[in-house]
Amino acid sequence: QEEVPTCAGGADAITVRLALRLGALRGWSAAVLDVKTAFLNAPRTSSSIIAAEVPGIMRQLQMAEANQVWLIVGALYGLTTSPRDWQLCRDAKLPEIKWQLQEDSGELRECWMEKSQEDNLWVIKAGKETVGMVLVYVDDFLFLGSRRLVQGAVDAVSRTWTCSKPMFATETEAVSFCGIEIREHKESQGFVLTQQAYEQELLERWPQAKGSNQIHLRVPDPEAPEEDPDANLVREAQALTGALLWLSTRCRPEITYAVHVMSKHAVKRPRITIENGHHVLKFLKETKASLVYSKTTSWNGSWGPREQLLTCRHERLVEVFNDVSFASSSGYKSTTGIAIFVAGGLNAWSSGS
């Protein structure tokens, strides 16, 4: 039997944050768009033949005979290959979509989308100039560019496929893409990234994580395994760890180490993992955090607060900071962390023991 790829890729959180950082520097707008019943727009690419019984309702309406079978030629929902078929269809169609952008001068410029070296990041071109970006996650799109450019892009895509109503990020209305809530930020003229709705969902899912004034995030990293871990506790520990992992990789870098410890112990030490998870949830309840990507950077053109840098800071600069904290007491281990900044905005991070 023919083996074919089945998955459809999507932009990861680092790529999304990087695009938003660059968009903020340029003063761009952000909008999201969803293609409705996307898979049904794609033909099957596999050479294998799939036949299906005619649905009973079709026979009752006399739209098919009782002994008929139908050959599946489209990427129906439920077929394992449909996500990949849609991705191939989408990526073949996007470069063909063109629209006109009217500049303030009245000049009309033809725009189109061109795939970058990152599969799920497309750039919007007007002549030789890159004037915007598009990120894709299966059937979801995030457009970045001037308001007029983005409006033209979503209109052009909506003419190609049946889509939801486009939503623009504003100060009061957030758009969601790849699990990240995106709003405009008036003070910095950029974007603010949060996951407030998801955080609230976690607190409602685990109401037993009660308590207040939990503003210190310190979790033990034990050595000894628990005796005969209960399977139900293991499942609970894994679910809680996975839920917090999603949060730590998007907008809450400060819980990264705690989630790392939970991941280590979820199977062999589920009880302490659940306790640590409740500890993190209490911290989330008492703290509100977000990533802010500003249009202007106060450090641009500087050599650091003590003139200690070897390179003058600029908008294309990538800075990497790392450090180690040695264990301060028994039950705790030395930890390390790394943070990567692009043009002064935190873009990627990691922490472990």
Side-chain angles (χ1 to χ4, degrees):
Q1 186 177 359
E2 178 189 10
E3 292 187 6
V4 295
T6 59
C7 63
D12 62 20
I14 294 177
T15 304
V16 175
R17 289 193 295 264
L18 178 59
L20 288 168
R21 179 72 196 104
L22 298 178
L25 289 173
R26 290 160 175 76
W28 285 347
S29 296
V32 295
L33 188 70
D34 170 60
V35 179
K36 296 182 178 180
T37 58
F39 294 176
L40 301 183
N41 292 285
R44 291 185 62 239
T45 57
S46 173
S47 59
S48 62
I49 298 175
I50 299 179
E53 292 185 5
V54 176
I57 186 65
M58 305 301 288
R59 291 195 294 268
Q60 293 174 17
L61 295 174
Q62 297 183 345
M63 298 179 66
E65 297 179 6
N67 60 349
Q68 273 188 341
V69 293
W70 286 356
L71 296 180
I72 307 301
V73 298
L76 290 183
Y77 283 84
L79 296 180
T80 58
T81 55
S82 292
R84 179 67 174 178
D85 291 336
W86 159 247
Q87 178 180 326
L88 295 174
C89 172
R90 179 199 69 200
D91 290 359
K93 195 69 177 177
L94 284 179
E96 300 175 0
I97 299 175
K98 293 180 171 59
W99 69 98
Q100 297 290 324
L101 171 66
Q102 185 173 16
E103 302 286 8
D104 293 335
S105 63
E107 177 189 1
L108 290 176
R109 302 177 70 187
E110 185 177 68
C111 299
W112 68 93
M113 288 172 276
E114 185 177 289
K115 182 182 279 192
S116 70
Q117 292 182 342
E118 163 58 44
D119 276 349
N120 301 295
L121 174 63
W122 295 68
V123 294
I124 300 177
K125 307 290 286 189
K128 295 182 179 180
E129 183 183 359
T130 296
V131 293
M133 289 184 284
V134 183
L135 293 105
V136 296
Y137 193 95
V138 190
D139 55 0
D140 294 328
F141 294 81
L142 172 63
F143 296 87
L144 295 168
S146 69
R147 179 71 182 229
R148 191 177 298 170
L149 174 73
V150 170
Q151 186 64 63
V154 298
D155 288 345
V157 172
S158 297
R159 288 193 295 269
T160 305
W161 298 297
T162 301
C163 299
S164 63
K165 182 180 178 180
M167 296 182 60
F168 282 81
T170 67
E171 289 182 61
T172 56
E173 296 292 332
V175 299
S176 181
F177 183 79
C178 199
I180 299 174
E181 299 166 28
I182 306 162
R183 287 183 175 85
E184 289 187 340
H185 193 247
K186 183 177 181 180
E187 293 182 15
S188 68
Q189 297 180 306
F191 299 113
V192 58
L193 282 55
T194 64
Q195 285 183 285
Q196 293 178 357
Y198 182 68
E199 290 177 19
Q200 184 60 39
E201 180 183 329
L202 295 187
L203 294 173
E204 293 174 358
R205 182 177 175 185
W206 281 280
Q208 60 269 44
K210 297 178 181 179
S212 60
N213 300 323
Q214 181 61 56
I215 58 174
H216 298 291
L217 192 58
R218 192 177 186 186
V219 294
D221 190 358
E223 291 285 356
E226 297 174 3
E227 294 182 4
D228 300 324
D230 181 82
N232 290 327
L233 287 178
V234 171
R235 283 192 288 270
E236 178 72 7
Q238 290 175 327
L240 184 51
T241 301
L244 291 172
L245 179 64
W246 177 259
L247 190 62
S248 71
T249 57
R250 276 155 175 75
C251 298
R252 296 301 294 259
E254 71 273 35
I255 70 171
T256 301
Y257 177 72
V259 175
H260 161 77
V261 173
M262 292 175 62
S263 300
K264 286 173 56 180
H265 301 304
V267 175
K268 293 185 178 180
R269 304 172 184 86
R271 290 179 180 84
I272 190 63
T273 298
I274 294 172
E275 290 178 9
N276 285 341
H278 291 172
H279 186 82
V280 175
L281 289 171
K282 293 175 185 177
F283 173 81
L284 294 175
K285 182 180 178 182
E286 295 300 319
T287 60
K288 300 297 181 183
S290 59
L291 295 176
V292 177
Y293 293 149
S294 61
K295 180 178 180 180
T296 58
T297 53
S298 59
W299 53 259
N300 192 25
S302 77
W303 293 82
R306 297 179 299 278
E307 301 293 321
Q308 79 279 20
L309 299 179
L310 300 178
T311 301
C312 180
R313 283 174 164 160
H314 53 84
E315 292 184 352
R316 292 179 178 270
L317 183 65
V318 177
E319 296 179 280
V320 181
F321 300 88
N322 71 305
D323 201 358
V324 175
S325 174
F326 295 102
S328 57
S329 61
S330 60
Y332 296 90
K333 294 183 179 180
S334 299
T335 63
T336 183
I338 185 170
I340 301 175
F341 289 75
V342 177
L346 180 61
N347 183 249
W349 54 84
S350 179
S351 182
S353 55

